[in-house]
Amino acid sequence: MRDAVTTLIKTYDDTGRYLDRDALSSIKSYFDSGLDRIKAVAVISANASEIVKAAGSALFAQVPELIRPGGNAYTTRRYAACLRDMDYYLRYGSYALVAGDSDLLDERVLAGLRETYNSLGVPIGPTVVGIQIMKDLVKAKVAEAGVTDPSVVDAPFDYMCREFSELSV
Ligand code: CYC
């Protein structure tokens, strides 16, 4: 499980190079965005259950078939599994925000997930919609909290959506 700094060091160490201008500018941008990322994570941690609940309601309003008989989130057990999954995406997204790196998302969230979803008939399109809804809710709250650049929140959520969409092709 790597963060922005350890990923960079690994890349340079693999080829025995000193950190060059590109490396230092990428480390600098990691530190420069640090305060905003930490504030964003504080907002997520303090509002996690509210964010998951609101995102779930918005998802089911947008794709109501999911909770009708025959839908993948139909029955309380599957409804609960769906909200639990949304909570996983939010929590791991917040870790990745602190780490400034998507490595932990590959390792802890995305590895083998498509196969699991496919075998259980969990639809990936609406899952991606759910992750995007969470991102937008988080961004709105983060902006309200006075974070200078709320777009720091995008990277981990966009990464999960992109990987998920690509993996499902
Ligand atoms: C199920 N989601 C699962 C399962 C796993 C995950 C492993 C199968 C085992 C179980 O039911 O607990 C996901 N597990 C994870 C992830 C991690 C992990 C991400 C990393 C931390 O350890 N259904 C929908 C919606 C969507 C949904 C679109 C919510 C956004 O219609 C989710 N996931 C969903 C549902 C199930 C599930 C309904 C249960 C499916 C079933 O058992 O039939």
Side-chain angles (χ1 to χ4, degrees):
M1 196 161 56
R2 293 194 303 261
D3 60 30
V5 175
T6 52
T7 291
L8 194 82
I9 290 174
K10 182 179 182 321
T11 306
Y12 279 74
D13 189 31
D14 282 348
T15 48
R17 284 180 296 155
Y18 280 89
L19 299 174
D20 55 18
R21 209 148 34 111
D22 287 348
L24 294 174
S25 100
S26 110
I27 292 185
K28 185 173 181 304
S29 90
Y30 170 69
F31 285 118
D32 286 347
S33 64
L35 207 53
D36 277 351
R37 285 182 292 106
I38 287 170
K39 282 192 203 154
V41 171
V43 168
I44 295 175
S45 297
N47 298 282
S49 58
E50 181 198 325
I51 292 167
V52 169
K53 209 173 140 203
S57 303
L59 173 63
F60 296 135
Q62 203 170 316
V63 194
E65 310 83 84
L66 293 173
I67 49 171
R68 293 200 187 118
N72 188 265
Y74 177 67
T75 75
T76 28
R77 182 186 66 80
R78 288 203 295 261
Y79 189 103
C82 184
L83 292 185
R84 180 214 52 198
D85 284 10
M86 300 272 279
D87 188 63
Y88 284 150
Y89 300 129
L90 184 62
R91 182 163 57 88
Y92 282 96
S94 79
Y95 297 163
L97 213 44
V98 167
D101 196 279
S102 52
D103 179 61
L104 72 91
L105 297 175
D106 287 332
E107 187 183 309
R108 300 290 165 102
V109 180
L110 296 163
L113 190 58
R114 179 190 47 149
E115 291 75 8
T116 306
Y117 269 26
N118 284 344
S119 72
L120 290 168
V122 178
I124 288 176
T127 304
V128 167
V129 172
I131 295 172
Q132 278 162 349
I133 292 172
M134 275 200 302
K135 176 180 92 171
D136 293 339
L137 288 174
V138 168
K139 271 177 95 168
K141 283 200 178 296
V142 161
E144 260 171 48
V147 168
T148 332
D149 179 13
S151 71
V152 291
V153 161
D154 291 349
F157 296 98
D158 288 346
Y159 184 81
M160 286 188 278
C161 290
R162 202 169 49 239
E163 287 299 299
F164 231 158
S165 308
E166 273 172 15
L167 288 172
S168 68
V169 172

